[in-house]
Amino acid sequence: MRLSRFFLPILRETPKEAEIVSHRLMLRAGMMRQEAAGIYAFLPLGLQVLKKIEQIVREEQNRAGAIELLMPTIQSADLWRESERYDDYGKEMLRIEDRHEREMLYGPTNEEMITDIFRSYVRSYKDLPLNLYHIQWKFRDEVRPRFGLMRGREFLMKDAYSFDIDQPGARHSYNKMFVAYLRTFARLGLRSIPMRAESGPIGGDMSHEFIILASTGESEVFCHRDYLDFPVPDASVDFDNVAELQSAVDKWTSLYAATSEKHDAAGFEAIPADKRVSARGIEVGHIFYFGTKYSEPMKAVVSGPDGVERPVHMGSYGIGPSRLVAAIIEACHDDAGIKWPEAVAPFRAAILNLKQGDSGTDAACEHLYRDLIAKGIEVLYHDLDERPGSKFATADLIGVPYQVVIGPKGLASGMFEIKRRADGSRENLSPAATIDLLSR
RNA sequence: CGGAGCGUAGCGCAGCCCGGUUAGCGCACCAGUCUGGGGGACUGGGGGUCGGGAGUUCAAAUCUCCCCGCUCCGACCA
């Protein structure tokens, strides 16, 4: 992409409504724009990141055996009356009426709808286990939206719902998602730590929040330092191997880890002092088992091997891709701007032509640009007639992992200067070596 | 929902208390010249329902009332 033909409305100054760093940087980098309190338009740069996150989430859900579908944003109030949540949900739910005065709502979550879909078709334990998910916009009318995308009213969410014949089956389904989440966040360039969470009406140990550490995080968290180095299950995990998954989950839940709500000072003190981590964190995922909470009132039952019908055991598993865009920035930035992990970067590289209009640099940039495009590498060519300093600042701000700096000086020796945004390191490479590096 | 603020050009702000030329500054934008390795300089331009409405007054960005929007703290939450 040539910057001269892209739509990238960079802001030099920070709009005053933006308080936290991800919000500030997203506005400044031209990634998004606020349309109303807690409601945002994604501009091209922001959308590219969102799509990458979404795709990684999707791939890991699929790998774990979940099956994608897509439910609507608008739901009928009747469904929610069946589960008796229509009145419970309160003002957080955006209620609307259609032209026939039917009561509708903009979905804040989809337990009811997925249960309705399930019960319409599934009759036998032979069709289980089943895990259905979708990635769809949700709306929760927060009393006080804030922190930009971190706490918006409209947000993109991946929500998966598992169905099993019994509790042991549900545990395995839960473990699949648990491992899928560890892998998902690792692929996004984040270190996530599962922390015991409020387990709702069922109780038990099957509810975890996945937290990433960021100094600007919203809540205080406590954990054992070893979690920072635990290996994340690799792509070869067998999601059908009950024992293997259970042991992975056991390992990842063996040490102390809690958010401030669940914090137990005594438990934390039991950790050796040098292993205690007290930091700030951001919740990026939440999984839980809720048994027959919806299947019972909504009569989602299947026949077991014994011919007896029983309500299915369910769990639900959420990840907010739109929130993750902000969360990743909170975890990956410096004073100059964003530092995208490579997996989610909107572009892999930026070409900075330090002297636009100079025949030498123009030609070198054009050449490299075409070669990279031909190799399928996502590259942003900064071809505007701006001063070098301004181009550096823009590239740093939008956080592209590799900057290829091409100016008259370096060109004299036939070299490009490559700067890695992550650590600021620089090296001089020949054009061929540059392409080679960026192709990896 | 309690508390506190803010709304003046695309962005950041001054002006408001104490009413009075043509509403100003920086950045951004447009034209041109010189420049060219960390947000350049100069010259010349364009851009405003002062959030909206009502009122007070000879006169309102400025005073009064009502409404709308947004932000922050708290309670709440993926």
Side-chain angles (χ1 to χ4, degrees):
Chain A
M1 179 63 65
R2 291 169 191 276
L3 185 52
S4 60
R5 297 187 193 167
F6 195 44
F7 180 65
L8 186 67
I10 298 271
L11 265 36
R12 192 159 166 175
E13 283 168 281
T14 305
K16 66 176 173 186
E17 75 261 20
E19 198 67 22
I20 64 164
V21 66
S22 60
H23 193 192
R24 287 203 306 263
L25 289 174
M26 286 190 74
L27 291 172
R28 286 200 51 215
M31 294 179 66
M32 60 134 162
R33 175 187 151 77
Q34 179 163 325
E35 295 298 339
I39 300 178
Y40 298 87
F42 275 80
L43 303 182
L45 193 77
L47 181 62
Q48 290 190 41
V49 175
L50 183 65
K51 290 278 182 195
K52 295 216 161 161
I53 293 171
E54 186 181 335
Q55 186 55 26
I56 288 172
V57 168
R58 174 177 289 117
E59 286 171 14
E60 293 303 322
Q61 289 291 293
N62 293 345
R63 189 197 304 280
I67 301 165
E68 185 170 12
L69 47 63
L70 183 59
M71 291 178 268
T73 54
I74 306 292
Q75 306 184 24
S76 157
D78 291 343
L79 265 183
W80 286 69
R81 291 214 168 84
E82 271 195 71
S83 69
E84 301 191 331
R85 280 213 290 180
Y86 191 64
D87 296 322
D88 294 352
Y89 221 91
K91 290 191 167 175
E92 292 237 312
M93 182 186 277
L94 180 65
R95 293 151 209 261
I96 45 190
E97 214 172 64
D98 71 10
R99 65 196 299 162
H100 302 294
E101 297 181 355
R102 281 184 290 242
E103 292 173 278
M104 315 292 282
L105 58 98
Y106 195 120
T109 178
N110 287 67
E111 277 85 5
E112 283 78 0
M113 187 173 283
I114 198 75
T115 304
D116 182 49
I117 290 171
F118 178 89
R119 71 179 173 186
S120 304
Y121 303 107
V122 182
R123 292 279 172 272
S124 163
Y125 75 97
K126 292 176 187 169
D127 296 320
L128 303 183
L130 184 64
N131 183 324
L132 299 171
Y133 77 97
H134 76 337
I135 301 175
Q136 178 63 290
W137 292 91
K138 305 279 191 293
F139 194 94
R140 291 185 192 168
D141 200 358
E142 297 279 348
V143 213
R144 190 185 156 208
R146 61 180 124 176
F147 305 147
L149 282 186
M150 292 284 282
R151 185 80 181 281
R153 291 194 291 173
E154 190 180 48
F155 55 97
L156 189 62
M157 184 166 166
K158 184 286 301 180
D159 40 329
Y161 303 91
S162 66
F163 303 88
D164 285 274
I165 188 69
D166 54 19
Q167 212 268 352
R171 174 172 289 276
H172 183 226
S173 292
Y174 182 89
N175 289 349
K176 286 183 188 174
M177 288 293 107
F178 189 107
V179 170
Y181 275 36
L182 288 176
R183 287 191 43 75
T184 300
F185 297 124
R187 281 190 61 192
L188 292 172
L190 301 170
R191 162 66 40 161
S192 68
I193 301 169
M195 301 195 178
R196 184 76 65 83
E198 214 53 65
S199 42
I202 303 298
D205 59 348
M206 297 225 289
S207 176
H208 288 89
E209 290 181 3
F210 284 73
I211 304 281
I212 61 168
L213 302 185
S215 58
T216 50
E218 57 196 343
S219 54
E220 216 174 352
V221 299
F222 307 87
C223 70
H224 195 291
R225 184 172 300 283
D226 286 1
Y227 274 124
L228 302 177
D229 301 314
F230 270 9
V232 170
D234 66 27
S236 69
V237 216
D238 178 0
F239 280 92
D240 292 323
N241 186 328
V242 175
E244 181 186 344
L245 282 201
Q246 188 62 57
S247 77
V249 171
D250 287 346
K251 180 174 176 61
W252 276 90
T253 53
S254 59
L255 301 174
Y256 187 86
T259 58
S260 55
E261 298 88 57
K262 300 286 270 184
H263 186 51
D264 159 40
F268 188 58
E269 300 295 324
I271 305 173
D274 62 327
K275 292 286 192 183
R276 288 178 209 153
V277 174
S278 164
R280 303 205 63 86
I282 300 170
E283 180 185 348
V284 289
H286 195 169
I287 62 178
F288 55 98
Y289 163 74
F290 47 74
T292 58
K293 176 174 178 184
Y294 300 97
S295 56
E296 240 172 295
M298 295 184 69
K299 301 186 176 54
V301 298
V302 295
S303 307
D306 53 5
V308 176
E309 287 191 333
R310 62 201 74 180
V312 288
H313 286 248
M314 297 173 59
S316 78
Y317 315 91
I319 291 182
S322 56
R323 160 177 259 217
L324 268 167
V325 177
I328 291 169
I329 294 172
E330 293 292 333
C332 310
H333 71 273
D334 61 17
D335 289 346
I338 304 167
K339 301 199 281 192
W340 292 116
E342 293 189 21
V344 300
F347 295 98
R348 180 162 174 77
I351 299 173
L352 307 186
N353 185 346
L354 293 197
K355 193 170 180 183
Q356 205 72 41
D358 176 276
S359 58
T361 60
D362 283 3
C365 289
E366 287 292 334
H367 236 99
L368 178 64
Y369 178 66
R370 282 180 198 166
D371 287 346
L372 291 176
I373 294 288
K375 292 229 169 218
I377 296 165
E378 294 165 312
V379 56
L380 180 68
Y381 173 22
H382 194 143
D383 59 346
L384 300 179
D385 186 16
E386 287 179 14
R387 311 270 305 185
S390 150
K391 294 195 177 188
F392 292 133
T394 297
D396 285 348
L397 175 63
I398 66 175
V400 176
Y402 294 91
Q403 297 173 14
V404 183
V405 180
I406 300 181
K409 287 182 191 169
L411 222 46
S413 56
M415 303 293 264
F416 297 159
E417 180 183 301
I418 316 297
K419 173 182 164 184
R420 287 172 205 262
R421 182 67 178 91
D423 59 9
S425 65
R426 299 157 192 270
E427 57 185 320
N428 292 312
L429 294 179
S430 68
T434 300
I435 292 169
D436 190 50
L437 170 70
L438 296 177
S439 304
R440 272 182 236 146

